[in-house]
């Protein structure tokens, strides 16, 4: 009997200790109720409508290219899928999130949320629905600014994303799958993440649950300040898998201010092709550690070449800011205004030296303004090129061609696999001998059909398929 009482007392002590621990842990966990109450009115739902022409998916084969297995059943006329009328316009809708950055109606969201939209509708927290105008968007950072015609709107407080630390609590408010003002929370998993085709954004990685519809919504710190814009998720299933990425608010606001004030985004341009510095390369260059950006090639007419930079230089700092790796350099240069003088600290022939270079204007600057494209047909391809001189052509053993010096990560060329440094010698079976000739040929390319592009890359000839969309 006494032993039973002793065991019971022990279990009661253990249970009491467990409850005390749980209570202490609960007190240490963040409470988001006040944050949500204050911030929710400034978060909006964004729906877009886009009118597209319905196509028969079998038309991809086109005429004589119909595979024999289909020709056996259908002959030369393939059936139309049920419920579709080829050539008849249909509306496609999409959903996203956004937040109010000024009480006179300016709203921030992702560029991909409103890409190609014919109509944009913003639903406020008080259930008002207002048509919105696209002020401008920037594909490189995935930032867009909208404007609704109303005043006295609730705004959100903006924080400083440079002060974020790994492990810090953050929360998101958005419309996943159309469920308005859903709140999720987690921690900052990493900062300064570089994602493929997003060289200009040092992403904030979090484990906050983000799903389709959350895009464009705000990411908050515990002070209720916006520190990021939820933009992407890593997934193999189409849903949240523990990895989500947000655009730092400092980066986004710089873009938004340019869109509001100038209608376009301009970035500094150095005119170099860079590569990472491996440990072996660092040792060969006389460096203590593998860091910086190694210049592999230069645009002969670019700011770097005219400013005295050479292939083989390793850029270590830009205006005192450390270049941790090759992905850091485009961000530092891109956020600097064209025409600015920058002080570069570099390693050359085993010695450190300083060099001042005046930045140029990124070749596709101006493309961001409200979906307007440049007059140059090079922008249609998503590339910028420079012509080869006689010595360069002789060295490559070719008669013509142009060198690609920049590739728009969101353009058709990037999707086809073209890279800076490639020499483009023909497109759609037509030889290219100058930049002006490329402009002419690009203007005549068909849309929604792949065309062959012949390249020279690292001394080898190869073909890639380039497809221009009709958007």
């Amino acid at each position: 009997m006494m032993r039973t009482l002793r065991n019971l007392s022990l279990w009661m002590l253990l249970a009491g200790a467990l409850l005390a621990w749980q209570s202490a842990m609960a007190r240490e966990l963040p409470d988001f109720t006040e944050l949500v109450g204050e911030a929710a009115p400034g978060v909006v739902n964004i729906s877009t409508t886009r009118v597209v022409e319905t196509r028969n998916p079998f038309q991809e084969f086109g005429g004589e290219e119909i595979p024999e297995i289909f020709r056996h059943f259908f002959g030369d006329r393939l059936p139309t899928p049920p419920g579709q009328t080829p050539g008849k316009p249909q509306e496609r809708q999409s959903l996203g999130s956004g937040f109010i950055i000024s009480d006179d109606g300016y709203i921030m969201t992702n560029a991909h949320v409103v890409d190609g939209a014919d109509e944009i509708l913003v639903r406020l927290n008080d259930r008002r629905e207002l048509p919105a105008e696209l002020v401008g968007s920037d594909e490189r950072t995935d930032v867009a600014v909208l404007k609704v015609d109303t005043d006295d709107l609730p705004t959100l407080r903006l924080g400083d994303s440079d002060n974020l630390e790994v492990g810090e609590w953050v929360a998101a408010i958005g419309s996943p799958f159309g469920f308005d003002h859903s709140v999720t929370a987690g921690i900052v998993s990493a900062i300064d993440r570089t994602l493929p085709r997003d060289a200009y954004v040092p992403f904030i990685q979090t484990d906050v649950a983000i799903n389709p519809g959350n895009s464009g919504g705000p990411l908050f710190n515990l002070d209720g300040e916006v520190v990021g814009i939820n933009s992407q998720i890593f997934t193999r299933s189409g849903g949240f898998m523990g990895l989500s990425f947000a655009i730092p608010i400092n980066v986004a606001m710089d873009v938004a201010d340019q869109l509001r004030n100038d209608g376009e985004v301009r970035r500094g341009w150095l005119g170099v092709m860079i590569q990472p510095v491996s440990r072996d390369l660092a040792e060969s260059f006389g460096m203590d550690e593998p860091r910086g950006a190694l210049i592999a090639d230069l645009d002969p007419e670019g700011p770097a070449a005219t400013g005295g930079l050479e292939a083989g230089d390793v850029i270590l700092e830009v205006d005192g800011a450390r270049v941790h790796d090759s992905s850091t350099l485009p961000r530092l240069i891109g956020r600097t205004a064209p025409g600015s003088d920058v002080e570069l600290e570099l390693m050359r022939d085993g010695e450190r030296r300083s060099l001042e270079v005046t930045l140029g204007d990124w070749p596709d600057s101006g493309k961001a303004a409200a979906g307007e494209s440049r007059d140059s047909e090079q922008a249609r391809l998503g590339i910028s090129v420079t012509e080869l001189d006689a010595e360069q052509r002789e060295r490559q053993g070719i008669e013509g061609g142009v060198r690609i010096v920049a590739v728009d990560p969101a353009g058709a060329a990037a999707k086809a696999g073209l890279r800076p440094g490639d020499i483009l010698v023909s497109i759609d079976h037509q030889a290219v001998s100058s930049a002006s000739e490329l402009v002419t040929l690009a203007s005549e390319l068909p849309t929604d059909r792949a065309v062959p592009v012949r390249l020279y890359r690292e001394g080898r000839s190869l073909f890639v398929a380039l497809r221009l969309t009709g958007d």
Side-chain angles (χ1 to χ4, degrees):
M1 181 67 176
M2 291 298 295
R3 185 175 181 179
T4 302
L5 289 175
R6 282 197 302 269
N7 289 341
L8 181 59
S9 298
L10 180 60
W11 279 111
M12 291 177 66
L13 286 172
L14 290 174
L18 179 60
L19 288 173
W21 177 80
Q22 290 177 332
S23 177
M25 288 297 295
R27 286 195 300 270
E28 292 178 6
L29 291 174
D31 185 351
F32 295 99
T33 54
E34 184 176 348
L35 182 158
V36 173
E38 293 179 356
V43 182
V44 302
N45 171 274
I46 297 173
S47 60
T48 65
T49 301
R50 180 182 181 187
V51 179
V52 297
E53 182 177 324
T54 303
R55 299 183 60 196
N56 187 335
F58 293 116
Q59 288 176 349
E60 288 291 326
F61 301 116
E64 297 180 354
E65 298 179 9
I66 298 173
E68 190 61 35
I69 188 171
F70 291 131
R71 193 185 297 277
H72 175 75
F73 291 102
F74 304 114
D76 292 330
R77 296 181 62 85
L78 292 171
T80 300
Q84 290 192 12
T85 304
K88 182 180 179 180
Q90 288 190 346
E91 290 188 352
R92 291 183 180 175
Q93 296 182 329
S94 62
L95 294 173
S97 305
F99 56 97
I100 303 168
I101 57 175
S102 67
D103 58 7
D104 57 347
Y106 284 96
I107 294 169
M108 188 178 291
T109 186
N110 285 148
H112 76 262
V113 169
V114 295
D115 181 37
D118 295 307
E119 295 181 359
I120 305 172
L121 193 66
V122 171
R123 184 164 65 239
L124 305 179
N125 187 54
D126 60 10
R127 299 305 173 185
R128 280 184 294 167
E129 294 187 347
L130 303 172
E133 172 192 357
L134 177 61
V135 175
S137 65
D138 179 52
E139 292 180 354
R140 289 188 175 277
T141 52
D142 197 21
V143 171
V145 177
L146 311 178
K147 178 70 168 65
V148 293
D149 188 16
T150 189
D151 295 316
D152 299 324
L153 291 176
T155 60
L156 299 182
R157 291 184 293 120
L158 305 181
D160 185 353
S161 52
D162 290 341
N163 292 333
L164 272 179
E165 296 183 2
V166 175
E168 181 175 341
W169 281 95
V170 284
I173 303 179
S175 304
F177 303 110
F179 294 105
D180 290 2
H181 293 86
S182 296
V183 182
T184 52
I187 63 168
V188 175
S189 305
I191 56 176
D192 292 337
R193 284 294 197 211
T194 299
L195 301 181
R197 299 177 58 188
D198 288 296
Y200 287 92
V201 180
F203 282 97
I204 305 165
Q205 179 187 328
T206 76
D207 66 352
V208 178
I210 300 297
N211 283 291
N214 272 115
S215 292
L219 183 74
F220 297 94
N221 61 18
L222 284 181
D223 294 326
E225 300 169 330
V226 179
V227 291
I229 305 177
N230 298 307
S231 174
Q232 301 184 37
I233 59 174
F234 177 85
T235 179
R236 291 194 178 104
S237 65
F240 176 68
M241 294 184 68
L243 290 173
S244 55
F245 300 91
I247 305 161
I249 195 62
N250 292 6
V251 174
M253 284 307 301
D254 176 62
V255 171
D257 289 342
Q258 291 190 59
L259 291 174
R260 290 174 61 180
N261 298 331
D262 306 321
E264 64 180 26
V265 179
R266 299 181 63 200
R267 295 181 174 85
W269 178 57
L270 196 55
V272 294
M273 184 171 67
I274 58 176
Q275 69 180 70
V277 178
S278 66
R279 185 166 295 279
D280 289 340
L281 282 173
E283 181 181 348
S284 69
F285 292 140
M287 299 168 57
D288 296 331
E289 57 179 332
R291 69 180 184 92
L294 172 60
I295 299 178
D297 203 357
L298 302 88
D299 178 352
E301 306 298 327
T306 57
L309 287 169
E310 302 175 0
D313 288 345
V314 179
I315 300 177
L316 304 174
E317 294 181 5
V318 178
D319 281 341
R322 181 183 173 96
V323 179
H324 297 283
D325 51 42
S326 59
S327 66
T328 309
L329 183 64
R331 302 172 190 167
L332 296 175
I333 297 299
R335 73 185 188 188
T336 307
S340 301
D341 294 331
V342 294
E343 189 77 19
L344 301 179
E345 186 80 11
L346 54 92
M347 181 71 73
R348 177 185 295 176
D349 298 329
E351 297 181 358
R352 290 178 70 110
R353 62 177 66 190
S354 297
L355 200 65
E356 187 175 85
V357 176
T358 301
L359 297 183
D361 203 341
W362 182 261
D364 64 356
S365 290
K367 186 182 176 186
E372 296 178 3
S373 61
R374 300 170 63 211
D375 292 336
S376 170
E377 289 299 329
Q378 293 178 37
R380 187 183 184 211
L381 303 179
I383 60 175
S384 178
V385 304
T386 185
E387 298 186 5
L388 303 175
D389 58 30
E391 181 182 348
Q392 290 171 323
R393 290 178 178 177
E394 183 179 356
R395 188 164 61 244
Q396 295 290 337
I398 56 178
E399 296 182 359
V402 292
R403 184 184 296 277
I404 299 174
V405 296
V407 179
D408 181 353
K415 296 177 182 177
L418 275 69
R419 309 173 187 170
D422 288 347
I423 297 176
L424 193 159
V425 294
S426 73
I427 186 167
D428 201 15
H429 305 293
Q430 303 294 314
V432 176
S433 58
S434 66
S436 59
E437 191 170 46
L438 177 62
V439 169
T440 301
L441 292 173
S443 67
E444 299 171 352
L445 291 179
T447 57
D448 297 318
R449 179 173 71 81
V451 299
V453 176
R454 188 184 178 199
L455 306 170
Y456 272 92
R457 177 180 296 165
E458 299 176 351
R460 295 183 298 121
S461 176
L462 72 154
F463 282 88
V464 298
L466 176 76
R467 182 186 296 273
L468 298 178
T469 64
D471 295 345

